[in-house]
Amino acid sequence: MITINEKEQVFHLHNGRISYLLYVMESGQLGHLYFGRQLRPEGSYRHMVEKAHRPMSSYIAEGDLYTSYEHLRQEYPTFGTSDYRYPALEVQGPDGSALCKLEYQGYRAIQGKKPLPGLPATYVENPQEADTLEVHMLDPWRRLEVVLSYTIFRDFDCVARSVRFANKGEETLFLDRAMSLSLDFPDADYETVQLSGAWARERAVKVRALEPGVTAVSSMRGHSSHHHNPFLALKRKSTTEHAGDAYGFSLVYSGNFLAQAEVDNYQVLRVMLGINPFGFRWRLDPGGAFTTPEAVMAYSPEGLNGMSAQFHRLYRSRLARGPWRDKERPVLINNWEATVFDFDEDRLLRIAQKAKECGVEMFVLDDGWFGSRNSDASGLGDWQVNRRKLPGGIGGLAEKVGRLGMQFGLWIEPEMVNKDSGLFRAHPDYILQTPGRSASHGRNQFVLDFSRPEVVEEIYRQLHALLSSADIRYIKWDMNRSISECYSAAWPASRQGEVYHRYILGVYDLHRRLLEDFPDLLIESCASGGGRFDPGMLYYAPQGWTSDDSDAVERLKIQYGTSLVYPLSCMGAHVSACPNGQVGRTTPLDTRGNVAMTGAFGYELDLGRLGPEEIETVKAQVAFYKENRRLLAQGDFYRLLSPFQGNLCAWQVALPDGARALVMVARILSEANGPYRRLPLRGLLPGRKYKVTGKYLSYEAYGDELMQFGLMLEDKSSGEVRDGSGPCRDFSSQIYQVDAIS
Ligand code: DGJ
């Protein structure tokens, strides 16, 4: 999948569908030629370089009035060598100069893909699945070696990139900016798509037209954040969900990030993705090395949905790991919204018992079971059970839940501490704080300094004991505040710029150690809902709590936006009680079920409070999910109607062979005397006959009709109300089943 034209010094990564081309410039810098739909492997493509004399440019060689890095598309631009755009790399030496010039040294092409030390990354299961090109660069003045690594996958239209720096000189260097990816496009006629929001309204789809200057999203909160996701896409104005060029850039990282698109005044576009340079400074001593997180680039000529499909397949099968990657996930019930901190063993067992009767497979005990945790003001840091609430301990409760025929799962928030806790009283210096200065709190809690191995070790010790003490199959790993006043008492002044990154490395390390000890553990990541819903976490936790907002209508937008990058298999989604705790809305139980089912499904309420009819609905939902969970988790996902654009939202999941599809259609507000509607489906076989089954309708049609004319929706409202829960009602929805007739 890598063709190298030695004579022309052009490297061509291709997999039959996409091409990525780079070359060595005469000056020794690495230049970029092309990324997009596949070009034929045998061409040279060096002539694609465009340069012209431009006033007010700086030129790299005397006598040459053409060659300026300002106008050349580059692979990994540095600062101060005639390029006035933001560089990918900024490195400072002891003389205070930030000049850096990288020269090509050679390359290595390898089959397969190497892991990144201490960092989450995509992987291969056998070397034939991918090829990796490593390009070796050197700043001869600083003796800084830079290895740019590119992996192209056989089965996914993605290229994964990362960069490794090694100080081969004798002076200490400081990396002030070390992006994972930089990519120069020949034109800027694109719109950017970003996923932005806030707590309880994460990952809303926002589209901006590019103009000269910088368009960026970032996090400086110490986690990827509810506010912006470490992702950016480019699309042409004419690109739709299903047609047109779409490029996606996604960072496999959970800390501060920057995703930026810069348009220069010649309409050249530079995209960058990596650790946020703000708050970052890595000291690279002689002999030292640093590896950036991995960035994944996806391309599809089939619109944004095509781009998402590439991310979904790659992330579901070659980023998520472990036995739970492909296993059916248990239907769970979580007690948080039902009880908050107010529970004892009897109450929990009653919730579990009722859930068991409905077919739920796992009971998850949320916050409040440990230390002095009766509110959010105390207890974090003390991961020992509160025997006043649970006299038999976690082991006793897990056993009783087991006797009901259910698995047991538990909530933890390992990175945090309350001042009112044994851990803080013993180690007040364990939090991130500038000595002598006050530290802000969030939700009454402080952030443990996970950049320090001894702090991680202390939490590991406690959690290892906890997980060894009972049959705990699942962990909900929460993280409920952003980092402020980031400073570690353990590191010298010259290393304070490393603390944010070292913190997240500590978080990854704790995940790694616990999973090594308990390889069958299913971890669900969480950060006040979706505050750390990123590919980095997905490597350790194959599912994440998508949002604290469990209202079915809000979830339409949240899950729709999330699906731009993330597969359904990783979106934790629960049916909760009404009126909804976050927005006070009352939605029909079937809509809550239909929306939650297109995710890692569960319940978050006391089912004992439901009437007999509702219990029957829950039983039917659980049974339907169990029958279809493999399809829902592993099938091809299509966004059909956007809740950001109208009153209807629809999405579809289909078996890759087109034999069966489920189509979820939700209508937010009821309509009086509305139009007839048809919904064109995707991913079916045109010549195959299907049976369509809705709540009230059933008919047969060929795939071509269903994809061209569309599925005939039964959301008519012209006085056709059949019963209260029927089609004419606010927040109505249904799942249509489309089955090939053999
Ligand atoms: C925030 C989470 O998102 C909730 O689901 C719940 O676990 C609470 N924390 C518990 O404190």
PDB file of all heavy atoms in Angstrom, residues 17 43 57 108 121 274 294 355 384 448 455 457 541 556 568 580 596 626 649 654 674:
ATOM      1  N   ARG A  17      -8.712   2.978  -2.627  1.00  0.00           N
ATOM      2  CA  ARG A  17      -9.797   3.966  -2.537  1.00  0.00           C
ATOM      3  C   ARG A  17      -9.291   5.364  -2.206  1.00  0.00           C
ATOM      4  O   ARG A  17      -9.839   6.352  -2.651  1.00  0.00           O
ATOM      5  CB  ARG A  17     -10.821   3.509  -1.475  1.00  0.00           C
ATOM      6  CG  ARG A  17     -11.492   2.187  -1.817  1.00  0.00           C
ATOM      7  CD  ARG A  17     -12.301   1.648  -0.671  1.00  0.00           C
ATOM      8  NE  ARG A  17     -11.526   1.517   0.544  1.00  0.00           N
ATOM      9  CZ  ARG A  17     -10.769   0.455   0.860  1.00  0.00           C
ATOM     10  NH1 ARG A  17     -10.710  -0.581   0.052  1.00  0.00           N
ATOM     11  NH2 ARG A  17     -10.063   0.428   1.983  1.00  0.00           N
ATOM     12  N   GLY A  43       2.098   7.013 -11.015  1.00  0.00           N
ATOM     13  CA  GLY A  43       2.474   8.380 -11.399  1.00  0.00           C
ATOM     14  C   GLY A  43       3.558   8.965 -10.508  1.00  0.00           C
ATOM     15  O   GLY A  43       3.871   8.424  -9.451  1.00  0.00           O
ATOM     16  N   SER A  57       7.121  38.157   0.064  1.00  0.00           N
ATOM     17  CA  SER A  57       7.472  36.824   0.560  1.00  0.00           C
ATOM     18  C   SER A  57       8.951  36.796   0.914  1.00  0.00           C
ATOM     19  O   SER A  57       9.723  37.625   0.439  1.00  0.00           O
ATOM     20  CB  SER A  57       7.208  35.774  -0.513  1.00  0.00           C
ATOM     21  OG  SER A  57       5.840  35.661  -0.721  1.00  0.00           O
ATOM     22  N   ARG A 108      11.588   4.508   6.248  1.00  0.00           N
ATOM     23  CA  ARG A 108      11.449   3.087   6.517  1.00  0.00           C
ATOM     24  C   ARG A 108       9.991   2.728   6.250  1.00  0.00           C
ATOM     25  O   ARG A 108       9.098   3.430   6.747  1.00  0.00           O
ATOM     26  CB  ARG A 108      11.769   2.813   7.982  1.00  0.00           C
ATOM     27  CG  ARG A 108      12.442   1.469   8.239  1.00  0.00           C
ATOM     28  CD  ARG A 108      13.188   1.550   9.556  1.00  0.00           C
ATOM     29  NE  ARG A 108      12.241   1.584  10.668  1.00  0.00           N
ATOM     30  CZ  ARG A 108      11.883   0.514  11.379  1.00  0.00           C
ATOM     31  NH1 ARG A 108      12.413  -0.675  11.106  1.00  0.00           N
ATOM     32  NH2 ARG A 108      11.039   0.608  12.377  1.00  0.00           N
ATOM     33  N   ALA A 121      -3.958   4.105  20.778  1.00  0.00           N
ATOM     34  CA  ALA A 121      -3.776   4.252  19.330  1.00  0.00           C
ATOM     35  C   ALA A 121      -4.515   3.133  18.610  1.00  0.00           C
ATOM     36  O   ALA A 121      -4.785   2.080  19.197  1.00  0.00           O
ATOM     37  CB  ALA A 121      -2.293   4.196  18.968  1.00  0.00           C
ATOM     38  N   GLY A 274      -3.679  18.396  17.340  1.00  0.00           N
ATOM     39  CA  GLY A 274      -2.705  17.860  18.291  1.00  0.00           C
ATOM     40  C   GLY A 274      -2.948  18.399  19.687  1.00  0.00           C
ATOM     41  O   GLY A 274      -3.982  19.025  19.967  1.00  0.00           O
ATOM     42  N   GLU A 294      -1.859  10.091  18.595  1.00  0.00           N
ATOM     43  CA  GLU A 294      -2.160   9.761  17.200  1.00  0.00           C
ATOM     44  C   GLU A 294      -3.329  10.611  16.683  1.00  0.00           C
ATOM     45  O   GLU A 294      -4.295  10.840  17.399  1.00  0.00           O
ATOM     46  CB  GLU A 294      -2.539   8.286  17.132  1.00  0.00           C
ATOM     47  CG  GLU A 294      -2.989   7.833  15.766  1.00  0.00           C
ATOM     48  CD  GLU A 294      -3.052   6.314  15.691  1.00  0.00           C
ATOM     49  OE1 GLU A 294      -1.989   5.675  15.653  1.00  0.00           O
ATOM     50  OE2 GLU A 294      -4.169   5.767  15.704  1.00  0.00           O
ATOM     51  N   ALA A 355     -35.816  -4.899  37.733  1.00  0.00           N
ATOM     52  CA  ALA A 355     -35.133  -4.856  36.434  1.00  0.00           C
ATOM     53  C   ALA A 355     -34.916  -6.271  35.901  1.00  0.00           C
ATOM     54  O   ALA A 355     -35.089  -6.544  34.710  1.00  0.00           O
ATOM     55  CB  ALA A 355     -33.801  -4.124  36.574  1.00  0.00           C
ATOM     56  N   GLN A 384     -13.421   2.655  49.847  1.00  0.00           N
ATOM     57  CA  GLN A 384     -13.847   1.539  50.688  1.00  0.00           C
ATOM     58  C   GLN A 384     -15.340   1.718  50.957  1.00  0.00           C
ATOM     59  O   GLN A 384     -15.815   2.841  51.122  1.00  0.00           O
ATOM     60  CB  GLN A 384     -13.094   1.513  52.027  1.00  0.00           C
ATOM     61  CG  GLN A 384     -11.587   1.279  51.884  1.00  0.00           C
ATOM     62  CD  GLN A 384     -10.830   2.582  51.720  1.00  0.00           C
ATOM     63  OE1 GLN A 384     -11.202   3.575  52.322  1.00  0.00           O
ATOM     64  NE2 GLN A 384      -9.777   2.585  50.911  1.00  0.00           N
ATOM     65  N   LEU A 448      -6.781  15.091  41.703  1.00  0.00           N
ATOM     66  CA  LEU A 448      -5.545  14.435  42.150  1.00  0.00           C
ATOM     67  C   LEU A 448      -4.463  14.611  41.092  1.00  0.00           C
ATOM     68  O   LEU A 448      -4.748  14.599  39.884  1.00  0.00           O
ATOM     69  CB  LEU A 448      -5.800  12.945  42.393  1.00  0.00           C
ATOM     70  CG  LEU A 448      -6.603  12.614  43.651  1.00  0.00           C
ATOM     71  CD1 LEU A 448      -6.968  11.125  43.659  1.00  0.00           C
ATOM     72  CD2 LEU A 448      -5.834  12.978  44.917  1.00  0.00           C
ATOM     73  N   VAL A 455       0.892   8.970  43.161  1.00  0.00           N
ATOM     74  CA  VAL A 455      -0.539   9.233  43.361  1.00  0.00           C
ATOM     75  C   VAL A 455      -1.346   8.169  42.593  1.00  0.00           C
ATOM     76  O   VAL A 455      -2.291   7.581  43.119  1.00  0.00           O
ATOM     77  CB  VAL A 455      -0.909  10.660  42.889  1.00  0.00           C
ATOM     78  CG1 VAL A 455      -2.406  10.900  43.004  1.00  0.00           C
ATOM     79  CG2 VAL A 455      -0.136  11.699  43.711  1.00  0.00           C
ATOM     80  N   GLU A 457      -0.311   5.291  41.869  1.00  0.00           N
ATOM     81  CA  GLU A 457      -0.070   4.030  42.576  1.00  0.00           C
ATOM     82  C   GLU A 457      -1.035   3.866  43.758  1.00  0.00           C
ATOM     83  O   GLU A 457      -1.597   2.789  43.969  1.00  0.00           O
ATOM     84  CB  GLU A 457       1.398   4.010  43.065  1.00  0.00           C
ATOM     85  CG  GLU A 457       1.820   2.803  43.862  1.00  0.00           C
ATOM     86  CD  GLU A 457       1.716   1.493  43.074  1.00  0.00           C
ATOM     87  OE1 GLU A 457       1.928   1.531  41.835  1.00  0.00           O
ATOM     88  OE2 GLU A 457       1.407   0.459  43.696  1.00  0.00           O
ATOM     89  N   ALA A 541     -12.050   2.003  27.181  1.00  0.00           N
ATOM     90  CA  ALA A 541     -13.455   1.827  27.563  1.00  0.00           C
ATOM     91  C   ALA A 541     -14.283   1.746  26.280  1.00  0.00           C
ATOM     92  O   ALA A 541     -14.502   2.762  25.634  1.00  0.00           O
ATOM     93  CB  ALA A 541     -13.913   3.010  28.406  1.00  0.00           C
ATOM     94  N   LEU A 556     -31.684  13.068  20.792  1.00  0.00           N
ATOM     95  CA  LEU A 556     -31.660  12.945  19.324  1.00  0.00           C
ATOM     96  C   LEU A 556     -30.486  13.736  18.773  1.00  0.00           C
ATOM     97  O   LEU A 556     -29.701  13.259  17.960  1.00  0.00           O
ATOM     98  CB  LEU A 556     -32.965  13.466  18.720  1.00  0.00           C
ATOM     99  CG  LEU A 556     -34.227  12.659  19.006  1.00  0.00           C
ATOM    100  CD1 LEU A 556     -35.455  13.397  18.480  1.00  0.00           C
ATOM    101  CD2 LEU A 556     -34.141  11.266  18.374  1.00  0.00           C
ATOM    102  N   LEU A 568     -22.201   3.539  17.243  1.00  0.00           N
ATOM    103  CA  LEU A 568     -23.286   3.352  18.217  1.00  0.00           C
ATOM    104  C   LEU A 568     -22.847   2.476  19.387  1.00  0.00           C
ATOM    105  O   LEU A 568     -23.301   2.664  20.513  1.00  0.00           O
ATOM    106  CB  LEU A 568     -24.492   2.673  17.556  1.00  0.00           C
ATOM    107  CG  LEU A 568     -25.220   3.392  16.434  1.00  0.00           C
ATOM    108  CD1 LEU A 568     -26.546   2.699  16.153  1.00  0.00           C
ATOM    109  CD2 LEU A 568     -25.449   4.843  16.745  1.00  0.00           C
ATOM    110  N   ASN A 580     -38.395  14.481  32.823  1.00  0.00           N
ATOM    111  CA  ASN A 580     -36.956  14.281  32.789  1.00  0.00           C
ATOM    112  C   ASN A 580     -36.236  15.226  33.758  1.00  0.00           C
ATOM    113  O   ASN A 580     -36.573  16.403  33.856  1.00  0.00           O
ATOM    114  CB  ASN A 580     -36.468  14.525  31.353  1.00  0.00           C
ATOM    115  CG  ASN A 580     -34.976  14.384  31.254  1.00  0.00           C
ATOM    116  OD1 ASN A 580     -34.237  15.344  31.398  1.00  0.00           O
ATOM    117  ND2 ASN A 580     -34.521  13.166  31.039  1.00  0.00           N
ATOM    118  N   ALA A 596     -32.792   5.331  23.068  1.00  0.00           N
ATOM    119  CA  ALA A 596     -31.703   4.721  23.852  1.00  0.00           C
ATOM    120  C   ALA A 596     -31.198   3.425  23.216  1.00  0.00           C
ATOM    121  O   ALA A 596     -30.018   3.083  23.305  1.00  0.00           O
ATOM    122  CB  ALA A 596     -32.181   4.458  25.286  1.00  0.00           C
ATOM    123  N   LYS A 626     -32.287  -7.097  22.775  1.00  0.00           N
ATOM    124  CA  LYS A 626     -31.451  -8.305  22.823  1.00  0.00           C
ATOM    125  C   LYS A 626     -31.427  -9.006  21.467  1.00  0.00           C
ATOM    126  O   LYS A 626     -30.388  -9.466  21.013  1.00  0.00           O
ATOM    127  CB  LYS A 626     -31.957  -9.264  23.901  1.00  0.00           C
ATOM    128  CG  LYS A 626     -31.596  -8.814  25.316  1.00  0.00           C
ATOM    129  CD  LYS A 626     -32.131  -9.824  26.312  1.00  0.00           C
ATOM    130  CE  LYS A 626     -31.848  -9.407  27.721  1.00  0.00           C
ATOM    131  NZ  LYS A 626     -32.572 -10.239  28.687  1.00  0.00           N
ATOM    132  N   CYS A 649     -36.288  13.454  12.948  1.00  0.00           N
ATOM    133  CA  CYS A 649     -34.933  12.915  13.040  1.00  0.00           C
ATOM    134  C   CYS A 649     -35.033  11.448  12.640  1.00  0.00           C
ATOM    135  O   CYS A 649     -35.949  10.743  13.072  1.00  0.00           O
ATOM    136  CB  CYS A 649     -34.428  13.046  14.474  1.00  0.00           C
ATOM    137  SG  CYS A 649     -32.888  12.163  14.772  1.00  0.00           S
ATOM    138  N   ALA A 654     -27.982  -0.927   9.322  1.00  0.00           N
ATOM    139  CA  ALA A 654     -28.222  -2.046   8.406  1.00  0.00           C
ATOM    140  C   ALA A 654     -27.108  -3.065   8.509  1.00  0.00           C
ATOM    141  O   ALA A 654     -25.940  -2.706   8.730  1.00  0.00           O
ATOM    142  CB  ALA A 654     -28.306  -1.531   6.973  1.00  0.00           C
ATOM    143  N   GLY A 674     -50.457  17.214   8.607  1.00  0.00           N
ATOM    144  CA  GLY A 674     -49.143  17.290   7.961  1.00  0.00           C
ATOM    145  C   GLY A 674     -49.094  16.566   6.631  1.00  0.00           C
ATOM    146  O   GLY A 674     -50.059  15.926   6.220  1.00  0.00           O
TER     147      GLY A 674
END
